[in-house]
Amino acid sequence: MIVVSDTSPIVNLAVIGKLDILPALFGKIYIPKAVYEEIAVRGAGQPGASEIQHVSWVDVRHCADANLLQELLHELDLGESESIVLAIELNTPILLMDEKDGRSVALRYHLKPIGILGILLEAKRSGLVPSVRECMDKLQSEAGFYIAASLYATIIELAGE
C-alpha cells in the first residue's frame, strides 16, 4: 500500500511516543521534500526529527508537477501542497493529513485524507494501541493538539471505549 504523509501526523505521533504505528499500519510512508525539511531540518531537536532521518520506512520524494504545486500554494502551505501533489503522482488515494483546509483540497483531487484520529482508530482495531482515549488525551496535553469535544466523543464511541 502506498501512503503519503504530511507533517502533522508524523510529528504528533512522535510526541506521544506512537510513531511506530505508521509502519505497522502502512509499511513504507512517502513524504515530500518539504515535509522532510519541516520535520528534520527546521524541526531539528523536536519529536520526530531524528527518527525521520534514520528509519527505513520513510521514503522522501521530490514532486515533479510544478504547475499543480504552484496552483495549490495559493490555498495551502508548501508541505500540504507537496503532499497532495506527491499522492497524485504516486497514484495513491491515501493521504495522512490533519489540517482542515488541506483535507478539503485533497478531497477535490479525489484523495482520501486520514487524520491522526483515524490513524489511532485503525491502530486500535489492529491491536496496536489499547486505548484511543489515552492517545487523544496525550495528544491534547503533550502535543497541544485540539480535538473538539463532540469529535472526541464520536471517536471514543467509534473506538468502543
Side-chain angles (χ1 to χ4, degrees):
M1 174 185 329
I2 298 174
V3 176
V4 173
S5 185
D6 188 28
T7 302
S8 176
I10 294 170
V11 169
N12 286 308
L13 285 170
V15 168
I16 65 169
K18 299 292 182 186
L19 192 56
D20 59 327
I21 289 172
L22 292 179
L25 287 177
F26 305 111
K28 188 175 289 285
I29 303 292
Y30 294 85
I31 63 173
K33 189 75 170 159
V35 167
Y36 178 84
E37 294 287 326
E38 194 172 332
I39 296 170
V41 178
R42 291 192 306 279
Q46 299 299 313
S50 176
E51 295 91 335
I52 243 38
Q53 295 177 54
H54 300 103
V55 295
S56 61
W57 50 266
V58 170
D59 189 341
V60 181
R61 294 286 178 101
H62 175 75
C63 297
D65 192 338
N67 291 330
L68 178 56
L69 180 60
Q70 287 304 313
E71 183 179 320
L72 293 175
L73 285 170
H74 293 290
E75 299 178 77
L76 305 171
D77 73 21
L78 183 59
E80 294 164 351
S81 297
E82 281 196 7
S83 295
I84 290 171
V85 172
L86 185 59
I88 292 167
E89 289 177 353
L90 293 176
N91 197 31
T92 180
I94 302 172
L95 175 63
L96 307 181
M97 182 177 283
D98 288 311
E99 294 78 7
K100 183 180 177 183
D101 290 344
R103 292 167 64 95
S104 177
V105 171
L107 288 170
R108 286 198 327 242
Y109 288 91
H110 308 290
L111 299 175
K112 179 184 177 189
I114 302 170
I116 195 166
L117 301 181
I119 294 167
L120 290 173
L121 279 172
E122 190 55 40
K124 168 90 185 257
R125 290 183 191 117
S126 299
L128 299 171
V129 296
S131 170
V132 172
R133 179 189 307 267
E134 181 182 312
C135 292
M136 287 195 303
D137 290 347
K138 281 185 171 183
L139 279 171
Q140 290 179 313
S141 65
E142 297 175 21
F145 191 88
Y146 174 75
I147 305 170
S150 60
L151 179 57
Y152 185 99
T154 298
I155 297 296
I156 292 299
E157 182 178 329
L158 290 171
E161 296 179 14

